[in-house]
Amino acid sequence: MLEKIIDIINSIIWSPVLVVVLIAAGIFLSYKTRFIQITRIGLMVKSLFGSRNNATSKGITSFQAFCIALSGRVGTGNIVGVASAIGFGGPGAVFWMWLIAFFGAATAYTESTLAQIYKFKHNGVFRGGPFAYIHIGLGHKKIGITFAIATIIGYGTLLPAVQANGVSSAMQTAFNIPPIYAGLVLATLVGLVVIGGIKRISKVASIVTPFMALGYITLAMIVIFFHINDIPNIITIIFKEAFGVGALGGGIIGSTIMMGVKRGIFSNEAGQGGGAIVSASADVPHPAQQGLAQAFSVYIDTLLVCTVTALMILSSGCYNIIDSQTNTIIVTNALELGTNYPQYTQAAVNTVFNHTGAQFVGIALVFFVFTTIMAYYFYSESALTYIFHHSGTPDNPRKEKICIRFGQIVLLSAVVFGSTNGADLTWKIGDIGVGLTTWINVVALFLLYPKAIKALNDYLNNK
């Protein structure tokens, strides 16, 4: 019964209309920013290190905000999410992930710049995000509060369950660790960090995130090197299947596009609003600087980390294609894997590292998911502080602290819940969380984008 209800909600939120709106928003904002994802790549990188070297009492550095946002983007979506996109959408889904990332970079710039423009100071620290620019920029307080509540529900409960499920599944395969134990250990590690608040989260993210991303990319490149002769053909297949002209024909073209877009958005968060929430907390000289930094994080997430995962899986042939309606295999490349798409990446690594792929991927997922859930907590706490700051009642620090502690308990409970429940159910729940915030945020971006364009022009003229 629960799964049927979730399916109905999912079909409403993730209708084809949302896919069209997301792509249209990315194309439109790319045009308005004069395709900064191509013309301003150098400035994006420079923006990461152009602010103060150390975090101030008012906020965190641009680089720390970048690392937190990147930790939110680089998670189980880069490993399990890519595998599910290929499993249910075929190789062509990878192209649509690339496309949504390319145009999503302009979306990420816009939302993060707006977050800087409309940030507010709460208890002496910068906070903000879509809920703030919807409220302050558009003058719609009720919608801002609605977005904040959706953020708390999505990032504070639904999405952590998805991330934890990826870890528990991988650790059970790799080390035969029961899911409940994996969930409890992960919840404990996350709890030790989030209790320390924004400063501790930013410090841990700035150390762990670059390390984990570089380590995983290095591992993936080694696997790809051993299959290098297959890469040209794999690239051709990706482009052909993306438009229904490959071996599969147009049989699953709808699923190909939908899975590519959904998993691309889940992974890079462009348009979803998460990166904007972190961006508001950065103490930078100019709003556009943080917007450019966040645009670059989309590239690292999807065009780099997701791509190496996809190339590993496809070049090694460790995948099957599954009918999303009947959950039956329609194309068999790795019979032994069946419909168990979470193991596609592990099997791909095994082709080079002789039965140690499960261990490698399991450890990588622990780091990925650990930092991602930290970022999710950051988002939900920021939404909670917004509600308290703009509630219209006198500040009540004690009540706010109680609510924050309760939110921490709920998030950690979601981690344990997700680790002990099936992947299909948790992914569907996660999709609802992504869709809830995306719908509201994209509409706001269409209405407020001129402010972000004005900030970009000002920054380029005076930098």
Side-chain angles (χ1 to χ4, degrees), residues 23 91-101 238 241-243 253 256-261 264:
I23 296 176
V94 178
F95 169 83
W96 294 100
M97 292 183 73
W98 289 340
L99 188 73
I100 205 69
I238 288 173
E241 298 291 356
F243 299 97
I253 185 65
T256 298
I257 297 172
M258 182 66 76
M259 289 302 299
V261 173

Side-chain angles (χ1 to χ4, degrees), residues 173-407:
T173 301
F175 303 104
N176 201 29
I177 297 175
I180 184 64
Y181 295 147
L184 289 171
V185 171
L186 180 61
T188 301
L189 293 174
V190 173
L192 291 174
V193 177
V194 300
I195 288 173
I198 179 176
K199 294 294 184 180
R200 186 180 297 176
I201 292 172
S202 64
K203 288 179 181 178
V204 172
S206 63
I207 295 171
V208 176
T209 303
F211 165 77
M212 72 172 188
L214 184 60
Y216 179 75
I217 291 169
T218 301
L219 169 70
M221 292 303 292
I222 293 172
V223 175
I224 292 169
F225 176 78
F226 277 85
H227 299 283
I228 194 69
N229 292 333
D230 297 314
I231 298 301
N233 184 49
I234 292 300
I235 299 297
T236 301
I237 291 173
I238 288 173
F239 279 91
K240 283 185 176 180
E241 298 291 356
F243 299 97
V245 296
L248 286 171
I252 61 168
I253 185 65
S255 181
T256 298
I257 297 172
M258 182 66 76
M259 289 302 299
V261 173
K262 285 172 72 172
R263 293 294 167 255
I265 290 293
F266 184 91
S267 179
N268 64 52
E269 294 188 342
Q272 191 178 334
I277 295 173
V278 178
S279 294
S281 295
D283 186 10
V284 293
H286 197 285
Q289 178 178 317
Q290 189 58 33
L292 288 165
Q294 291 303 327
F296 187 66
S297 69
V298 174
Y299 275 4
I300 293 178
D301 172 83
T302 306
L303 298 186
L304 188 56
V305 182
C306 284
T307 296
V308 295
T309 300
L311 292 180
M312 273 200 300
I313 293 172
L314 295 173
S315 64
S316 62
C318 295
Y319 70 97
N320 299 312
I321 301 177
I322 307 161
D323 187 323
S324 60
Q325 301 297 319
T326 63
N327 206 41
T328 57
I329 299 174
I330 54 178
V331 175
T332 304
N333 290 293
L335 185 62
E336 71 280 4
L337 295 174
T339 60
N340 192 358
Y341 60 82
Q343 292 187 15
Y344 290 0
T345 309
Q346 294 171 327
V349 177
N350 276 339
T351 62
V352 174
F353 289 96
N354 297 324
H355 306 295
T356 58
Q359 288 77 14
F360 275 122
V361 175
I363 293 170
L365 266 174
V366 170
F367 280 104
F368 278 30
V369 171
F370 169 64
T371 55
T372 296
I373 295 176
M374 282 193 320
Y376 286 172
Y377 171 74
F378 187 103
Y379 303 163
S380 60
E381 184 190 287
S382 294
L384 187 62
T385 58
Y386 160 79
I387 292 174
F388 272 94
H389 187 79
H390 295 284
S391 63
T393 59
D395 288 341
N396 190 332
R398 185 173 178 274
K399 187 176 180 181
E400 181 179 342
K401 188 174 181 179
I402 291 173
C403 288
I404 287 175
R405 287 285 179 259
F406 178 74

Side-chain angles (χ1 to χ4, degrees), residues 76 80 158-173 179 182-183 186 340-342 365 369 373 414-428:
T76 189
V80 182
L158 302 181
L159 295 178
V162 175
Q163 298 289 339
N165 182 267
V167 166
S168 65
S169 176
M171 296 304 284
Q172 186 174 35
T173 301
L186 180 61
N340 192 358
Y341 60 82
L365 266 174
V369 171
I373 295 176
V415 169
V416 178
F417 169 82
S419 67
T420 56
N421 283 271
D424 290 338
L425 179 62
T426 50
W427 271 107
K428 289 174 182 177

Side-chain angles (χ1 to χ4, degrees), residues 21-37 103-111 114 271 441-442 444-450 452-453 456:
V21 168
L22 284 170
I23 296 176
I27 294 172
F28 177 75
L29 294 172
S30 295
Y31 171 73
K32 288 296 182 179
T33 59
R34 298 188 293 278
F35 288 89
I36 56 169
Q37 58 266 69
F103 290 117
T107 306
Y109 162 79
T110 304
E111 63 185 0
L114 289 173
N441 188 44
V442 171
L445 295 182
F446 272 120
L447 297 173
L448 285 172
Y449 79 88
I453 304 303
L456 177 62

